[in-house]
Amino acid sequence: MLVKKKKLRLGVFKYSCCAGCEFELIYFQKYIRETFDNVDIIYFRMAKSGGSEEGPFDLVLIDGAITEAWQVDQLKRVRQVARFLLPIGSCAVNGGIPAIKNHTSELDMEKRVYQDITHVHSIKTHPVDDYVQVDGYIKGCPMGRKDLYEAFTSLLLGKRPSFVNYSVCVECKIKGNTCVLISYGWPCMGPVTNGGCGALCPSYNRACYACWGPMEDANAPALARQFEKMGLAPDDIFRRFTQYGSTKPEFRRGAELYGSTTQPF
Amino acid sequence: MDNPHYRVACLLDVQPETEDTSSYLFVLEDGGDFQFSPGQFNMLGLPGTEEAAISFSSLAAAGSGRFTHTIRRVGNVTRLIGELEIGQRVMVRGPFGRGWPIEQAVGCDVLLVAGGLGLAPLRPFLLYMLENRGQIRNLVLIFGARTLDDMIFQIDLARWQEQDEISTIYCVDHLTRESNLRLRTGLVTRFMDGLDLDPRNTLACICGPEIMMRFVARNLALQGYRQDRIYLSMERRMRCGTAHCGHCQIGAKFVCQDGPVFSYPDIARFADTAL
Amino acid sequence: MDRQPNPFNSKTISIDYLARTEGESGLMVKIAEGGDVQEIKLKIFEPPRFFEGFLVGRKYSEAGDIVSRICGICPISHLTTSLQAVEDAMGIMPSPQTRRLRRLMCVSQVVASHIIHLYMFVLPDYFGYPGFAEMMPEFKKETDYLLAMKEAVNNVAEKIGGRPLNPVSMVVNGFTKLPDRETMLSLAEGIRAVLPMAYETAMMMSRLPYPDLETEGEFAALRKEASGEEERGEYAFNEGRLVSSGGLNLDIHDYFAAFCEQEQGYAQAKKSFLKTGNTYMSGALARVNLKFDQLHDETKKLAQEIGFSRPDRNPFHNNLAQALEIYDGMLESIRLLSEIDPKKEVPSVDIRAGEGVAITEAPRGLLMHRYVIDRRGVIEEANLITPTSQNFANIERDLHLLAARYGQSDDHEALRLKCEQLIRAYDPCFSCSVH
Amino acid sequence: MQEQAFIIEKDQLFSWLEKLQQEFLLIGPKKQEEGGGVAFLPIKSVQELDLNYTLTMMGPQIYLYPPEETICTVWRKDDGGFEVRMREEVPRQVLFAVRSCDLQAILVLDKVFLRPGLEDRNYRLWRENTLLIGLHCSSIHPQCFCASMGSGPFFEPRQGYDLLLTDLGQIGYLAETLGERASSLLAALKAQPATQTHFDQKRQIGHYLLTQFQKSIDTTHLVEVLLKNQDHPVWSQTADQRCLSCTNCTKVCPTCFCYNTKDTVSFDLVRCERTRYKDSCQELHFAQVHGANFRSTRSSRLRQFVTHKLATWVEQFGCFGCVGCGRCMSWCPTGIDLTQMAKEIMVSEGLYDRRRQT
Ligand SMILES: Cc1cc2nc3c(=O)[nH]c(=O)nc-3n(C[C@H](O)[C@H](O)[C@H](O)COP(=O)(O)OP(=O)(O)OC[C@H]3O[C@@H](n4cnc5c(N)ncnc54)[C@H](O)[C@@H]3O)c2cc1C
Ligand code: SF4
Ligand code: SF4
Ligand code: SF4
């Protein structure tokens, strides 16, 4: 039989993030039964005591951005025992919100928060694929359920999952939303942002703020210039392209036109 | 016929060709007949994997409903087909497209140039020529692959090189080991001079990577071969096979319906090709 | 021969990684032979996240979206607190409708969080499973309850906010889009349908064998007294004054007059204390203790049925209090959903410079945001204090009590489990604590 | 084919539509709530109709070729075989008040999806179950250039629609039927047959409308010029400077037909739903195959869109792919205008006087 039903050996590792994606996994609503029926949780600290980091895993989901050195070591070890490794959520995929700090010097950042910084061992925020090869991305903040579903069912079937890789505008059009950029002149990030959310923000009457991070090959400089034409101040444009995913060249190129994107230690 | 129209075919036999390529013999499950001509293709799929365009690598056997595909395992459909066991099934739509211009071969010299897996769609054409050898004049096959291990249809190749009806030139980029095939080293374009062919009266059929087809076609044109008798088989992303999904368009052409076999000038006039 | 206990001969209980909590932490308890507790450290090693740092230089309008990513289980609380702090700084008073809808969102958040916490984090402890996934095959009814209740309350956040985690419709001074009345009513129906399950949940929670312990810290919560002709004040989540069992009664703006924060060498989170030096507990148990009178009558009845009497000082009973809040929250959601008839309002903002403070009740306790904003709306200073930081000191103090009480008699494993149970009873969120 | 012409008063028309609603789902232009524009939406009460609209974002063809649609459902049977179920039924619907450009767009889609021998099953189902009622424009949107593309302002081909209405003001609508279906449905109305005067009036309105266009393009040499200039700098300049690859242009274009398929399987892997959704040549992965992407550059994708609409379409289907509705430029976040690009190329070919550009 082609469809050999074997349980997937699952590992979930969390680095710097809000754990929202891990919750999303638990929140997987009506599929939670199917999910747990079809996976063996080998390592998932938020859902299970014990567990082994050693794997081997069929599927490893990485939640969170890399901000400390030990995470890199663990990540590299995990990669070696993972057949399929997917970063989940914006933090792991493109640095997400934690990467906002990259545009200030690390020392300044530490001093803003702690008086005694001797116990702080942070490094600049990096997405997972800066250190290991990944087999795809489940984007979103929190990660998209459609892609998560695709990942599970594809691996059960034995194929490479195909994730959403078009812009938010596509979903806006499918829904027939009024375009907030053109009709209201709001600085919508939808054209350069990876879809998957169902164009949530425009459907809720607000401009997309790019929480899913950049679409592959997005032309951020063109949109940034358009924002300028629409009357946005340079620092506001800079902020729009550095809120999410400025570790990725797509957004960085847009931000760079209006500010300096990375700071040394 | 309405599109899409799915049929189910059963895997009868698998013949490994290279490390990542095998030939698969299928038979239609509904017992129906299956007619197709050399150069045409099927859309093969499994529930859950969408579909892939795959050329026929055999000649249609009247009344049998049997057909062979030679498939390299590169993606979802092709890998899962690679995992099928004998007796398991696939979903088939087809045949689609326009194949090699068989009728134009009559009374001409015929040159076939294939690169790598490109021999698969040319094989049925070649078999047809051999079956109807009397209708054509000289028949030449030039087949190139990276190494011997990348050469598909080695049993055929060995037979053809001994046959008088056809002259063969097999070449590899690197000679890795000895075999009973007479191999030369170099790209196919190196062996295209001085062929026993009449440039003004040759049907040239090329299939392989686009960049290779470009060099071969240009080389032939330079040698004075008639450009409108040079034919190429193009590969594009395909979703429907019926000129609806638009993915395979090159300029005004739908590869799936107007092709995949095109005459060189007809397709080279559009951008978006390496030709 | 009898051997005298040697205080230098200590046993150490250490937990490298505390599973089934949000975020990353471990625990180290050192008990001397003879039972004296020598050292207790709740090691929160969640990497520093610098929200307070990188909020500086960002626009007021982004703050809500940014801070909702502090926590994956209480994003709505962070978002609401942030919006209210910005409004406080700019002198904006949101409309009554906005405030009621926010209350609804926060209630749904608290209920959803408690449901997850009780079923997925707490139950496995008491039934001896590594996690809820392993329990599912045998606990079919409980699984059904969990899924049905969670879906009903998440629907509220999803329909009103766009998505249950990190909602998008909540902005400074209002909502970008409002659900229609029909949606509200159907959401109310959805919750009414699962109300009996909340009742059952409370009954189930009341039957668990909680260890005995009495916390020594104060209880602190937000409380709003009745105004006008109201019979009783709302069970406060977003608005009110700071009260404590120690007699504190403060305007939220005076938070820093009574509370202070300290850095810890061994933990990335800061620890909060009362300026008196006392530790305090906030969260469900503190709320139920301090605002029992403001619960719905049905909830009070339920409390009686499950044998909850106040003041209840056992921190393990935080789980009971959470069960009560689930039930009460559902009643409150039904009330709000049936009463609110959303009318279109445009959330407009007049940008002004200023300093703003907001305190709300997140599922796990008090949450404070304070911003200083310049005249272009750019944040110049940000200070966030999360529930787990507030409870941090008290958790350690309770662990001390626990170890002292059971350290002698219990075997290593049993004590370890009790320590874990205690920490989990607080429902800490380490991601939040290291924001 | 049977053709008739009547004069229908406005009230009469509405009550006729109401009657149709008993049998058909009525879809027509409706003002969206919350400040949005007009969109083709299911109509509950005929009062909701907005018949003065000029441009909707999505054309009415989304009801014949939905942006997302199930093609078939496949079950894996226990014996290892597959059971394929196709879509058999669609609701009966009326597409009401379709403008000339959109009628033309539907004709274009007919050529794509109803090619003899290669009929798309779902499209045919929708098409057969749809009563198509056109309504001519009475004003011209600044972005419209249907007159240049030969698809408006009045719809000339006598095919594709069931009923074509022209607003003659006070008098009512001039209603021209095509085919059996519309005639029999209209019979109940007992409307007055139209006379030559009415047709004269219609022609006058047409003449007036023709003077109202602000945008135009000369199509005389368009095809050769575009095909000759596949390497023109306008492609890469516009692509790099302005094109976002957001695909809005192709999503709103009423003639864009490309789709992609996607299989979704159930967790037990037994059931598979094969859907198709409208794809776009502007998307990076559109032409991706194993080992190559045939349109990996933004400029090649942009060129594909423009040359397809304005040139290669003619060879493929015997008509332009652009009907001049102006949607792509209206909904492009940076306002890229395909007529401007075409004109730029014509200017460099000396075929167009830059001062004449509009
Ligand atoms: C007319 C014709 C005849 C052909 N004949 C044969 C033949 O005889 N034998 C043969 O082996 N092949 C043949 N092919 C090629 C075959 O159709 C392709 O290799 C096909 O893609 C295989 O399908 P798949 O599902 O296995 O791979 P896919 O899953 O489609 O993947 C193929 C490759 O494309 C990439 N890819 C696919 N989709 C995306 C995407 N969305 N984003 C990024 N990358 C993507 C993948 O990385 C992978 O490398 C033919 C093609 C055509 C057009
Ligand atoms: S609102 Fe934003 S996402 Fe939607 S179409 Fe417009 S630009 Fe794209
Ligand atoms: S529209 Fe943009 S910001 Fe909103 S949910 Fe989608 S990706 Fe995130
Ligand atoms: S190309 Fe543009 S103007 Fe032409 S039909 Fe398409 S959307 Fe309308």
Side-chain angles (χ1 to χ4, degrees):
Chain A
M1 214 13 219
L2 174 73
V3 180
K4 358 180 173 47
K5 283 272 291 225
K6 235 180 71 196
K7 282 194 170 192
L8 295 176
R9 293 171 57 86
L10 176 73
V12 182
F13 290 80
K14 173 187 176 296
Y15 299 127
S16 298
C17 67
C18 72
C21 294
E22 291 187 301
F23 275 109
E24 195 64 22
L25 199 60
I26 295 179
Y27 269 41
F28 205 24
Q29 302 284 52
K30 55 183 178 216
Y31 300 119
I32 191 163
R33 253 184 244 272
E34 281 93 337
T35 313
F36 285 142
D37 277 351
N38 286 295
V39 302
D40 275 327
I41 300 180
I42 306 299
Y43 186 91
F44 185 0
R45 278 292 165 77
M46 201 167 78
K48 180 181 175 176
S49 311
S52 155
E53 290 181 32
E54 311 305 324
F57 303 104
D58 291 313
L59 173 61
V60 165
L61 303 175
I62 306 279
D63 183 12
I66 305 294
T67 62
E68 284 191 355
W70 66 268
Q71 299 168 331
V72 181
D73 300 337
Q74 190 190 44
L75 182 62
K76 287 185 173 161
R77 283 199 308 275
V78 170
R79 173 70 267 194
Q80 279 170 2
V81 290
R83 197 160 62 84
F84 223 83
L85 183 141
L86 299 172
I88 56 173
S90 282
C91 300
V93 170
N94 54 44
I97 290 282
I100 299 178
K101 80 177 172 102
N102 286 9
H103 311 298
T104 309
S105 91
E106 199 63 25
L107 195 64
D108 280 354
M109 195 46 75
E110 290 175 9
K111 281 192 190 148
R112 279 184 201 167
V113 180
Y114 298 97
Q115 274 152 4
D116 172 12
I117 59 168
T118 51
H119 61 278
V120 177
H121 312 290
S122 270
I123 57 174
K124 288 270 176 212
T125 304
H126 289 273
V128 166
D129 63 358
D130 274 4
Y131 295 106
V132 296
Q133 203 194 331
V134 301
D135 302 300
Y137 304 90
I138 303 189
K139 297 183 180 177
C141 186
M143 68 168 155
R145 286 188 191 164
K146 204 166 147 193
D147 283 349
L148 184 61
Y149 184 92
E150 170 76 10
F152 277 126
T153 51
S154 296
L155 291 182
L156 286 168
L157 190 66
K159 68 158 185 169
R160 174 179 46 82
S162 64
F163 298 125
V164 174
N165 54 14
Y166 42 70
S167 70
V168 174
C169 296
V170 171
E171 292 169 333
C172 235
K173 290 293 169 292
I174 288 178
K175 284 192 165 174
N177 287 340
T178 304
C179 174
V180 304
L181 188 147
I182 289 158
S183 301
Y184 309 141
W186 296 341
C188 184
M189 292 286 281
V192 292
T193 302
N194 204 88
C197 62
L200 189 60
C201 293
S203 317
Y204 272 77
N205 258 327
R206 61 178 290 192
C208 166
Y209 55 94
C211 77
W212 286 52
M215 166 181 79
E216 189 183 347
D217 191 40
N219 193 352
L223 186 63
R225 282 191 294 266
Q226 184 66 20
F227 286 170
E228 192 181 358
K229 272 191 215 146
M230 288 160 52
L232 233 64
D235 62 332
D236 283 332
I237 301 176
F238 180 78
R239 279 191 281 264
R240 286 209 78 72
F241 287 91
T242 51
Q243 191 177 350
Y244 270 98
S246 57
T247 63
K248 291 280 176 225
E250 282 91 352
F251 276 6
R252 199 162 56 227
R253 279 200 296 268
E256 266 164 8
L257 295 176
Y258 299 93
S260 148
T261 48
T262 30
Q263 294 286 330
F265 286 89
Chain B
M1 189 209 297
D2 263 3
N3 173 62
H5 175 72
Y6 296 97
R7 298 170 83 174
V8 177
C10 187
L11 181 64
L12 282 185
D13 192 18
V14 183
Q15 172 72 46
E17 300 286 353
T18 70
E19 203 184 346
D20 62 359
T21 307
S22 304
S23 292
Y24 303 82
L25 173 64
F26 293 101
V27 64
L28 282 183
E29 203 171 50
D30 56 22
D33 192 16
F34 204 39
Q35 283 306 318
F36 50 88
S37 56
Q40 283 196 302
F41 66 94
N42 264 333
M43 296 299 293
L44 292 189
L46 288 158
T49 63
E50 289 106 39
E51 296 173 287
I54 305 289
S55 309
F56 295 98
S57 62
S58 66
L59 274 175
S64 81
R66 290 184 178 211
F67 52 97
T68 305
H69 287 300
T70 302
I71 303 174
R72 179 156 68 205
R73 295 178 286 276
V74 297
N76 286 341
V77 178
T78 48
R79 277 207 205 101
L80 282 183
I81 287 180
E83 286 176 20
L84 289 182
E85 285 159 21
I86 306 294
Q88 290 189 328
R89 287 158 248 196
V90 291
M91 285 161 70
V92 179
R93 290 189 300 125
F96 294 120
R98 288 204 300 193
W100 303 105
I102 291 182
E103 62 302 332
Q104 289 198 28
V106 180
C108 297
D109 289 339
V110 176
L111 168 65
L112 308 179
V113 187
L117 195 57
L119 186 57
L122 277 172
R123 180 173 178 265
F125 185 44
L126 180 58
L127 294 176
Y128 181 88
M129 292 295 135
L130 289 172
E131 274 181 22
N132 302 277
R133 186 64 183 81
Q135 298 183 11
I136 59 170
R137 296 183 359 188
N138 284 351
L139 176 60
V140 177
L141 167 69
I142 307 181
F143 174 47
R146 261 178 319 182
T147 69
L148 176 66
D149 295 323
D150 298 307
M151 287 194 145
I152 56 175
F153 306 137
Q154 294 200 9
I155 300 170
D156 288 333
L157 295 177
R159 198 176 60 235
W160 294 333
Q161 75 177 356
E162 307 307 335
Q163 259 173 299
D164 293 336
E165 289 86 359
I166 176 171
S167 7
T168 55
I169 298 173
Y170 303 148
C171 51
V172 289
D173 298 357
H174 312 284
L175 201 56
T176 44
R177 58 183 172 83
E178 289 299 307
S179 82
N180 57 351
L181 295 180
R182 288 189 289 278
L183 298 181
R184 313 185 194 181
T185 18
L187 299 171
V188 285
T189 37
R190 259 187 69 184
F191 308 103
M192 290 175 44
D193 299 333
L195 297 172
D196 188 11
L197 299 167
D198 174 5
R200 277 149 304 141
N201 193 21
T202 295
L203 175 71
C205 297
I206 318 170
C207 185
E210 215 153 292
I211 201 81
M212 165 253 178
M213 295 201 286
R214 159 159 109 186
F215 286 117
V216 173
R218 290 189 180 179
N219 184 313
L220 291 175
L222 279 177
Q223 288 192 45
Y225 284 80
R226 271 179 61 182
Q227 296 200 25
D228 59 346
R229 314 208 83 206
I230 301 174
Y231 285 84
L232 323 163
S233 179
M234 305 292 288
E235 181 187 338
R236 281 295 181 275
R237 176 127 179 238
M238 270 174 206
R239 277 292 174 246
C240 66
T242 51
H244 293 156
C245 83
H247 283 88
C248 69
Q249 289 175 96
I250 303 175
K253 299 295 180 187
F254 287 95
V255 173
C256 64
Q257 284 293 321
D258 306 328
V261 174
F262 292 98
S263 86
Y264 176 52
D266 197 22
I267 199 71
R269 66 197 159 110
F270 299 112
D272 290 347
T273 67
L275 295 172
Chain C
M1 196 179 76
D2 265 7
R3 196 169 68 85
Q4 283 294 312
N6 173 359
F8 297 103
N9 221 348
S10 58
K11 66 175 174 188
T12 306
I13 294 179
S14 68
I15 303 169
D16 295 340
Y17 195 124
L18 207 64
R20 278 184 288 114
T21 56
E22 212 217 302
E24 298 173 73
S25 69
L27 176 68
M28 200 269 288
V29 179
K30 226 181 192 174
I31 303 173
E33 217 170 304
D36 275 353
V37 183
Q38 288 180 325
E39 201 182 350
I40 288 210
K41 276 183 182 162
L42 181 57
K43 296 185 177 166
I44 303 179
F45 57 82
E46 174 90 24
R49 297 168 63 213
F50 301 107
F51 274 78
E52 289 165 326
F54 60 66
L55 275 172
V56 173
R58 307 302 294 192
K59 226 26 187 296
Y60 76 94
S61 49
E62 294 175 289
D65 298 328
I66 293 178
V67 297
S68 51
R69 271 72 179 186
I70 288 177
C71 179
I73 196 162
C74 59
I76 299 176
S77 302
H78 278 283
L79 176 55
T80 310
T81 317
S82 167
L83 299 179
Q84 294 189 168
V86 169
E87 285 157 0
D88 189 42
M90 297 191 178
I92 295 169
M93 187 58 185
S95 73
Q97 172 175 301
T98 297
R99 288 156 58 200
R100 296 190 84 194
L101 280 170
R102 280 189 190 157
R103 176 173 171 80
L104 176 61
M105 289 294 279
C106 286
V107 170
S108 81
Q109 160 98 96
V110 168
V111 174
S113 172
H114 287 350
I115 292 171
I116 295 267
H117 178 241
L118 292 184
Y119 278 87
M120 304 202 81
F121 295 170
V122 174
L123 282 191
D125 271 346
Y126 289 91
F127 289 103
Y129 286 85
F132 192 76
E134 287 74 13
M135 283 176 68
M136 276 169 55
E138 281 173 53
F139 290 75
K140 293 221 158 40
K141 193 183 77 181
E142 283 73 11
T143 311
D144 288 342
Y145 283 7
L146 165 69
L147 297 182
M149 287 196 291
K150 199 169 56 62
E151 177 145 11
V153 288
N154 279 356
N155 271 346
V156 176
E158 184 158 347
K159 286 275 155 45
I160 300 175
R163 59 183 167 197
L165 295 181
N166 307 332
V168 301
S169 70
M170 297 170 78
V171 294
V172 177
N173 199 17
F175 284 75
T176 56
K177 186 175 175 181
L178 295 167
D180 53 22
R181 181 102 177 105
E182 274 163 49
T183 311
M184 299 287 277
L185 293 177
S186 77
L187 289 171
E189 272 324 297
I191 292 192
R192 198 165 285 133
V194 297
L195 193 59
M197 300 181 191
Y199 181 88
E200 288 285 317
T201 304
M203 296 311 265
M204 173 182 70
M205 292 313 293
S206 72
R207 289 192 289 265
L208 300 183
Y210 299 105
D212 263 343
L213 198 71
E214 216 166 89
T215 188
E216 290 173 349
E218 284 179 36
F219 291 117
L222 214 54
R223 186 180 162 97
K224 193 175 170 199
E225 298 305 336
S227 66
E229 63 256 41
E230 274 176 15
E231 189 187 328
R232 57 170 177 242
E234 276 176 352
Y235 190 83
F237 283 104
N238 295 337
E239 298 164 14
R241 291 169 68 81
L242 272 172
V243 298
S244 86
S245 55
L248 211 65
N249 187 340
L250 285 178
D251 186 278
I252 58 164
H253 293 91
D254 300 330
Y255 177 86
F256 289 98
F259 296 86
C260 59
E261 223 185 4
Q262 273 173 21
E263 282 176 26
Q264 304 300 317
Y266 62 86
Q268 308 287 12
K270 297 174 192 175
K271 229 185 237 182
S272 290
F273 292 94
L274 283 162
K275 282 226 164 119
T276 57
N278 205 356
T279 63
Y280 60 103
M281 177 178 188
S282 75
L285 187 62
R287 288 191 292 256
V288 174
N289 272 329
L290 292 170
K291 304 189 277 198
F292 191 83
D293 56 316
Q294 293 173 327
L295 291 169
H296 287 254
D297 293 336
E298 293 94 317
T299 316
K300 288 181 195 157
K301 227 173 88 215
L302 174 62
Q304 211 170 16
E305 282 172 51
I306 65 171
F308 181 93
S309 60
R310 84 188 169 121
D312 187 328
R313 303 197 60 86
N314 184 348
F316 287 96
H317 288 175
N318 195 36
N319 294 336
L320 285 182
Q322 287 179 318
L324 289 176
E325 282 196 343
I326 293 175
Y327 190 71
D328 197 63
M330 286 190 182
L331 291 170
E332 183 67 2
S333 304
I334 295 171
R335 183 179 77 87
L336 290 166
L337 284 163
S338 344
E339 283 179 18
I340 306 174
D341 180 9
K343 296 274 181 304
K344 193 174 163 68
E345 296 174 341
V346 180
S348 61
V349 177
D350 255 341
I351 300 174
R352 269 207 294 178
E355 177 184 340
V357 174
I359 296 184
T360 66
E361 287 279 6
R364 313 169 164 66
L366 292 170
L367 171 63
M368 200 265 345
H369 283 213
R370 177 184 153 270
Y371 305 134
V372 178
I373 298 175
D374 79 5
R375 63 189 171 77
R376 285 195 62 230
V378 178
I379 295 173
E380 290 182 323
E381 226 181 291
N383 189 358
L384 322 174
I385 300 178
T386 63
T388 302
S389 313
Q390 321 232 25
N391 288 331
F392 191 177
N394 210 53
I395 297 178
E396 286 191 344
R397 196 166 165 199
D398 283 353
L399 282 167
H400 223 279
L401 295 174
L402 187 76
R405 177 150 181 185
Y406 295 99
Q408 188 69 327
S409 49
D410 268 5
D411 64 55
H412 207 92
E413 252 328 285
L415 181 59
R416 208 181 94 113
L417 178 64
K418 283 206 177 71
C419 287
E420 284 201 32
Q421 281 175 336
L422 176 64
I423 298 174
R424 266 185 215 115
Y426 268 89
D427 190 7
C429 170
F430 300 111
S431 305
C432 268
S433 71
V434 190
H435 43 273
Chain D
M1 213 180 257
Q2 190 182 352
E3 287 182 51
Q4 289 174 315
F6 303 98
I7 288 296
I8 307 181
E9 284 164 29
K10 299 202 168 169
D11 292 347
Q12 235 180 340
L13 180 75
F14 282 129
S15 54
W16 181 68
L17 281 177
E18 274 166 356
K19 236 182 243 115
L20 278 187
Q21 278 182 296
Q22 296 164 358
E23 248 185 281
F24 295 88
L25 186 66
L26 177 62
I27 289 156
K30 177 181 168 183
K31 184 109 186 121
Q32 279 173 301
E33 291 139 63
E34 305 202 28
V38 175
F40 277 91
L41 291 169
I43 301 287
K44 279 205 201 96
S45 135
V46 291
Q47 265 71 45
E48 297 165 7
L49 288 165
D50 175 351
L51 299 185
N52 293 320
Y53 81 99
T54 44
L55 193 62
T56 57
M57 182 174 77
M58 304 302 277
Q61 88 291 346
I62 54 171
Y63 293 95
L64 300 171
Y65 176 39
E68 256 180 339
E69 171 177 40
T70 301
I71 306 177
C72 64
T73 313
V74 186
W75 277 266
R76 284 174 195 272
K77 294 189 292 191
D78 289 340
D79 65 359
F82 308 120
E83 186 188 328
V84 185
R85 264 184 235 162
M86 312 294 297
R87 179 158 202 168
E88 300 295 348
E89 260 178 62
V90 299
R92 300 224 296 157
Q93 60 186 9
V94 186
L95 274 186
F96 179 67
V98 177
R99 298 300 192 202
S100 181
C101 56
D102 288 338
L103 287 175
Q104 174 69 23
I106 291 170
L107 275 194
V108 171
L109 287 183
D110 285 353
K111 291 188 185 197
V112 177
F113 287 122
L114 300 179
R115 261 210 223 190
L118 290 177
E119 289 190 7
D120 183 84
R121 198 190 157 87
N122 282 18
Y123 183 81
R124 204 201 47 213
L125 264 180
W126 284 112
R127 193 73 170 90
E128 279 173 353
N129 284 285
T130 303
L131 195 70
L132 193 57
I133 303 182
L135 171 63
H136 284 140
C137 287
S138 31
S139 63
I140 304 296
H141 188 268
Q143 296 280 37
C144 292
F145 55 105
C146 57
S148 304
M149 303 314 295
S151 56
F154 283 0
F155 190 63
E156 305 294 350
R158 298 196 172 277
Q159 67 185 96
Y161 58 89
D162 293 277
L163 184 63
L164 191 56
L165 304 171
T166 312
D167 190 341
L168 299 183
Q170 297 285 312
I171 306 170
Y173 292 104
L174 172 63
E176 297 165 76
T177 69
L178 195 65
E180 200 49 58
R181 189 159 58 167
S183 301
S184 61
L185 282 171
L186 268 182
L189 260 181
K190 302 210 166 51
Q192 290 295 315
T195 64
Q196 189 55 40
T197 355
H198 298 126
F199 283 101
D200 288 343
Q201 260 177 304
K202 174 184 169 186
R203 199 170 309 119
Q204 270 171 18
I205 296 173
H207 285 317
Y208 164 75
L209 287 176
L210 277 175
T211 63
Q212 297 301 301
F213 283 90
Q214 298 176 32
K215 196 181 201 90
S216 69
I217 179 167
D218 179 1
T219 56
T220 332
H221 303 287
L222 205 50
V223 176
E224 325 75 279
V225 168
L226 283 177
L227 286 182
K228 194 175 141 200
N229 282 285
Q230 297 180 59
D231 296 318
H232 197 276
V234 71
W235 306 127
S236 57
Q237 270 165 20
T238 318
D240 295 346
Q241 291 296 312
R242 294 168 66 196
C243 177
L244 303 169
S245 302
C246 62
T247 77
N248 274 316
C249 49
T250 45
K251 299 288 161 174
V252 295
C253 178
T255 65
C256 272
F257 56 82
C258 293
Y259 66 75
N260 199 357
T261 54
K262 169 114 181 76
D263 282 3
T264 310
V265 285
S266 58
F267 254 98
D268 59 10
L269 310 181
V270 170
R271 192 170 154 278
C272 161
E273 196 168 282
R274 183 161 292 168
T275 47
R276 70 170 169 204
Y277 60 92
K278 199 167 153 178
D279 203 356
S280 161
C281 56
Q282 299 309 295
E283 208 243 309
L284 175 63
H285 308 91
F286 187 82
Q288 171 95 45
V289 296
H290 176 65
N293 184 341
F294 293 102
R295 276 187 222 111
S296 58
T297 61
R298 216 184 302 284
S299 61
S300 66
R301 300 200 290 274
L302 187 63
R303 173 185 60 207
Q304 163 66 17
F305 172 61
V306 181
T307 53
H308 192 209
K309 295 285 154 185
L310 297 179
T312 50
W313 209 294
V314 177
E315 184 180 330
Q316 284 178 324
F317 300 107
C319 61
F320 282 112
C322 174
V323 296
C325 67
R327 286 189 174 93
C328 53
M329 52 211 74
S330 300
W331 300 105
C332 171
T334 61
I336 297 177
D337 179 340
L338 85 171
T339 65
Q340 289 295 339
M341 278 185 279
K343 282 173 195 168
E344 198 140 323
I345 292 176
M346 287 200 269
V347 169
S348 65
E349 287 281 316
L351 283 170
Y352 210 88
D353 181 354
R354 202 182 280 277
R355 276 161 307 174
R356 254 183 56 209
Q357 274 193 33
T358 42

